[in-house]
Amino acid sequence: MAVTILIVEDEEKIGRFLELELVHEGYEVMKAVNGREGLEKAQNSKVDLVVLDVMLPALNGFEVLRRLRKNSDIPVIMLTARDEVMDKVAGLDGGADDYMTKPFAIEELLARIRLVLKKRGGVVHLEKNQLSVGKLRMDVQRYEVSYDGKSVELTHREFELLRVLLENKNIVISRDTLLEKVCGYDYMGETNIIDVYVRYLRSKLDDVFQVKIIQTVRGVGYCIKDEN
Ligand code: CA
């Protein structure tokens, strides 16, 4: 069963562009061109996530979100104009799951959509079996990893850590989140275990193939970036 995303956006060009990209990614897409229609569809249709523009006719995005949150916790990603920081804060305070600043890179929006859906505990059906960055390939179903065609042997936790990072490419994932995803919510062991696994992964990938796959973001966590 496909995941349905509602796009609430009055700018036809952007709406159309988002629709094409999301359909291409395998999502079902519904569209609304003003706040009132967006609210109505979000409340009365089977929708899994809403991409909600802030500047909308009829009802603005914040108002749509406020009314929606009275009886729905459907995931919402807000689109704000340029860098209106106050808008972002208002959006997150108002119960948005995430926000994107226009203009945005579509890959980043797609990554955030995946992350939000995943956080909300859904969408196994959209999980890709093949993950990759550069010459690194991961086959999730076969549990195989290779670099430039050469097989790499990983332990279960190394594999899971690499998988989480690859599934959220270009997004910095905190150590806490990685710990939860890799070791489980009830993990009671060493808190620096993620750093240890990152070291193991680097010794099996970076050191062997002379690359830098996992980036450390100081004070935050780790990230795998698409090659620049
Ligand atoms: Ca707009």
Side-chain angles (χ1 to χ4, degrees), residues 9-11 53 55-56 102:
E9 168 63 87
D10 59 316
E11 284 157 86
D53 190 31
M55 296 298 287
L56 289 169
K102 289 180 181 177

Side-chain angles (χ1 to χ4, degrees), residues 157 179-180 183-193:
R157 281 186 174 169
L179 192 65
E180 259 177 34
C183 301
Y185 288 91
D186 49 358
Y187 177 75
M188 297 293 281
E190 297 293 319
T191 52
N192 69 343
I193 193 77

Side-chain angles (χ1 to χ4, degrees), residues 106-163:
I106 186 67
E107 284 305 328
E108 196 187 345
L109 177 63
L110 294 173
R112 281 169 193 261
I113 287 173
R114 285 195 294 272
L115 194 65
V116 167
L117 287 170
K118 196 174 280 275
K119 270 187 197 158
R120 293 302 199 90
V123 255
V124 202
H125 29 290
L126 208 79
E127 215 157 24
K128 287 183 182 166
N129 292 327
Q130 301 282 339
L131 299 169
S132 68
V133 65
K135 292 175 179 171
L136 181 71
R137 300 268 179 282
M138 171 179 276
D139 186 319
V140 175
Q141 230 156 31
R142 294 177 176 214
Y143 220 72
E144 288 171 354
V145 174
S146 66
Y147 189 91
D148 203 8
K150 296 177 191 75
S151 174
V152 179
E153 294 295 326
L154 298 180
T155 65
H156 172 68
R157 281 186 174 169
E158 290 163 359
F159 185 93
E160 288 304 314
L161 174 59
L162 188 62
R163 183 166 70 93

Side-chain angles (χ1 to χ4, degrees), residues 49-54 61-69 72-80 86-100 112 116 119-120:
L49 181 143
V50 183
V51 176
L52 179 59
D53 190 31
V54 169
F62 294 135
E63 190 54 26
V64 172
L65 181 65
R66 196 181 68 77
R67 297 191 190 188
L68 189 60
R69 279 289 174 260
S72 165
D73 68 344
I74 183 174
V76 173
I77 297 178
M78 307 285 293
L79 302 180
T80 72
M86 289 315 291
D87 281 3
K88 293 176 190 171
V89 174
L92 292 176
D93 283 352
D97 292 75
D98 209 340
Y99 60 82
M100 291 287 300
R112 281 169 193 261
V116 167
K119 270 187 197 158
R120 293 302 199 90

Side-chain angles (χ1 to χ4, degrees), residues 171-189:
I171 295 178
V172 180
I173 312 285
S174 73
R175 285 181 176 77
D176 287 349
T177 302
L178 288 170
L179 192 65
E180 259 177 34
K181 289 188 183 293
V182 175
C183 301
Y185 288 91
D186 49 358
Y187 177 75
M188 297 293 281

